[in-house]
Amino acid sequence: MLTTDVLPVGSFLIPVKWLALWAWIAVGGKVATLLEKDFVGKKVKWTEPFVQAALLWYILWRWSPVLWDPLSFVNHPLSLLYMSGTEKGWWLAWLSAAGFLVWVARKSGAGYRRLLDAAAVTALVAGAGLSLLFVRLGAPTTLPWGVSPEGYQQIYHPIHFYRAAVLAAVGVWMWRGRGRLREGESFARIVTAAGVGLLIISYFDYYPVTRWWALSGEQWAFAGVALTGWVAGWWNGRKEAPYLGGSQATSSKTSVPGRKVK
């Protein structure tokens, strides 16, 4: 297991968790690219776009204060080495990264459904990988698999292990059924299953601050993710998408010898 310390790179301090995230995004992009062979059309290599989007997000968020107060940078150039992002920068970074990925999807001819499928696969792999690398302990427990940090007598729920197990199970489930999925269905199923699973696990976590209906902000985020997947699945059910599995979508009309199909 790794710590959340920072790694000095010259004069910059980069969190170890961010380096691990970029590495796992690259792995997730490889997996998403591997699944591209089942799609009809041009194969897209997703590793570079997703890693570039993650770097773009980090740069815009980390140095977003320069956009709101450029004079502070002019007066104190060294502030770039230790400044942190803002809430407005967080939204700007997400919008910019999403816009970049949409541009990549349009340029490559992949379309938004394949982009969403690839993004869901990449996020699933990255989330499972980070859960294996970084410890997160939840509420106290008496279960035998509880984890007790060094110097503590109390044992706690290993939230990181729960998350890794759930996300890995979703990944195996999706991999086994990948040949039967249409474009957009991978996103809907991964997001729904992962959102519900993470929401259930969150009840074993510890949240000192809650919001509406006694749920924390993270729990509301998991519920929103699951709802987004459900809506996407409902929307996909209304529109017919090209069938995956290495062949063109089969026609509903069957040719009969001696009879012309209209």
Side-chain angles (χ1 to χ4, degrees):
M1 293 292 180
L2 300 178
T3 63
T4 56
D5 295 335
V6 294
L7 179 68
V9 180
S11 300
F12 293 94
L13 298 177
I14 301 179
V16 174
K17 194 168 187 177
W18 273 98
L19 296 176
L21 175 62
W22 292 331
W24 278 110
I25 287 177
V27 175
K30 287 287 187 181
V31 176
T33 302
L34 180 63
L35 294 177
E36 279 286 306
K37 67 181 181 180
D38 293 329
F39 285 86
V40 177
K42 182 181 178 181
K43 185 175 181 178
V44 180
K45 296 182 179 180
W46 292 107
T47 302
E48 291 185 6
F50 284 127
V51 172
Q52 291 170 358
L55 290 173
L56 176 64
W57 189 99
Y58 181 77
I59 291 172
L60 289 177
W61 170 78
R62 176 71 182 272
W63 289 290
S64 60
V66 176
L67 299 176
W68 322 130
D69 189 10
L71 291 179
S72 63
F73 164 69
V74 174
N75 297 328
H76 305 283
L78 293 179
S79 62
L80 283 176
L81 301 179
Y82 55 83
M83 69 171 47
S84 183
T86 61
E87 183 177 355
K88 291 187 293 185
W90 187 88
W91 287 104
L92 175 64
W94 273 115
L95 291 175
S96 300
F100 170 75
L101 291 175
V102 170
W103 174 78
V104 170
R106 289 176 61 89
K107 183 180 179 180
S108 62
Y112 76 93
R113 288 188 178 184
R114 286 171 65 182
L115 170 62
L116 291 177
D117 286 341
V121 171
T122 303
L124 184 70
V125 173
L130 288 179
S131 298
L132 291 174
L133 293 179
F134 296 93
V135 175
R136 173 160 179 167
L137 302 181
T141 181
T142 57
L143 296 175
W145 56 78
V147 176
S148 179
E150 185 177 356
Y152 288 80
Q153 296 182 350
Q154 183 71 51
I155 60 176
Y156 303 89
H157 283 287
I159 300 298
H160 60 287
F161 176 77
Y162 295 165
R163 290 182 175 180
V166 167
L167 296 179
V170 173
V172 172
W173 172 54
M174 292 302 304
W175 181 266
R176 296 183 62 181
R178 67 190 185 281
R180 301 187 299 270
L181 299 178
R182 303 175 186 270
E183 288 185 10
E185 288 186 349
S186 293
F187 171 80
R189 295 192 180 191
I190 289 175
V191 170
T192 303
V196 172
L198 293 176
L199 179 60
I200 294 174
I201 291 173
S202 69
Y203 283 95
F204 301 100
D205 208 338
Y206 172 70
Y207 296 104
V209 179
T210 58
R211 298 185 179 182
W212 309 286
W213 294 351
L215 296 178
S216 68
E218 189 176 59
Q219 288 175 314
W220 277 109
F222 294 150
V225 167
L227 181 61
T228 300
W230 180 83
V231 172
W234 170 79
W235 183 258
N236 287 333
R238 296 183 57 190
K239 291 188 175 183
E240 184 179 1
Y243 186 73
L244 309 186
S247 60
Q248 296 286 349
T250 57
S251 174
S252 59
K253 298 181 181 180
T254 306
S255 60
V256 179
R259 180 180 177 183
K260 184 177 180 181
V261 179
K262 299 181 179 180

